[in-house]
Amino acid sequence: GADDADATIDVTAVKNVYAPVPWLRDIALVDTPGTNAVVAHHQRLTEEFVPRCDLVLFVTSCDRAFSESERAFLAHIRDWRKKVVVVLSKLDVLGDEPDADLLTIETFVRTNMSQLLGLDDVLIFPVAARRALRLKHAATADAAAGTDGD
């Protein structure tokens, strides 16, 4: 509600990181501790930031997609009427049938997000950090060796 947007944020818990990226010039990305935080003020920090944002990049994982604490927090996001994009992390942990598993998980997340938030079309972006890191290391090794990876 309106009182949430007027809450004071504990700036001692905030760390500013700057990057020389042109498209970030007029954008502030805030990485909050998220839901179900062990440290009480971490949950509170998240609850203080979200009402002030324009868009929520909601990160959930393939191995525990749409947990009960995430569902409860999404109810707040719904009440705050925020736009939501889902980032589905840990794609790397999917088993022998990753495409089938991903389709099942995306369907589960999309259905639950639609029901909870009343959205017709939920954007979901699956990410695989381990794979990206391996590719980055390979590119760095190729550059050091003077090859282009082919």
Side-chain angles (χ1 to χ4, degrees), residues 59-79:
V59 180
T60 189
S61 64
C62 284
D63 59 348
R64 295 183 329 120
F66 216 74
S67 69
E68 202 50 46
S69 65
E70 291 173 339
R71 182 185 306 274
F73 192 71
L74 282 164
H76 289 299
I77 291 173
R78 178 194 60 221
D79 294 343

Side-chain angles (χ1 to χ4, degrees), residues 7-140:
T8 302
I9 295 172
D10 176 9
V11 294
T12 61
V14 176
K15 178 180 179 183
N16 292 314
V17 178
Y18 299 94
V21 180
W23 65 268
L24 287 175
R25 189 172 308 128
D26 298 320
I27 296 174
L29 297 175
V30 178
D31 182 10
T32 64
T35 64
N36 202 22
V38 175
V39 180
H41 76 271
H42 286 176
Q43 177 82 19
R44 190 174 64 250
L45 183 66
T46 299
E47 291 171 356
E48 291 171 358
F49 262 109
V50 172
R52 300 167 185 258
C53 71
D54 297 315
L55 173 76
V56 174
L57 290 176
F58 192 82
V59 180
T60 189
S61 64
C62 284
D63 59 348
R64 295 183 329 120
F66 216 74
S67 69
E68 202 50 46
S69 65
E70 291 173 339
R71 182 185 306 274
F73 192 71
L74 282 164
H76 289 299
I77 291 173
R78 178 194 60 221
D79 294 343
W80 294 322
R81 298 178 184 204
K82 297 300 171 185
K83 298 172 190 150
V84 179
V85 172
V86 177
V87 177
L88 190 55
S89 69
K90 298 185 182 178
L91 187 60
D92 317 87
V93 302
L94 297 181
D96 297 332
E97 302 278 339
D99 292 339
D101 291 344
L102 179 57
L103 181 61
T104 300
I105 294 166
E106 282 183 327
T107 300
F108 174 78
V109 170
R110 183 171 280 109
T111 299
N112 281 279
M113 292 288 288
S114 294
Q115 289 173 351
L116 185 62
L117 299 177
L119 301 174
D120 292 331
D121 191 23
V122 178
L123 293 175
I124 300 176
F125 292 94
V127 295
R130 287 183 188 158
R131 180 171 181 235
L133 185 60
R134 278 195 306 271
L135 292 172
K136 180 179 179 181
H137 287 298
T140 302

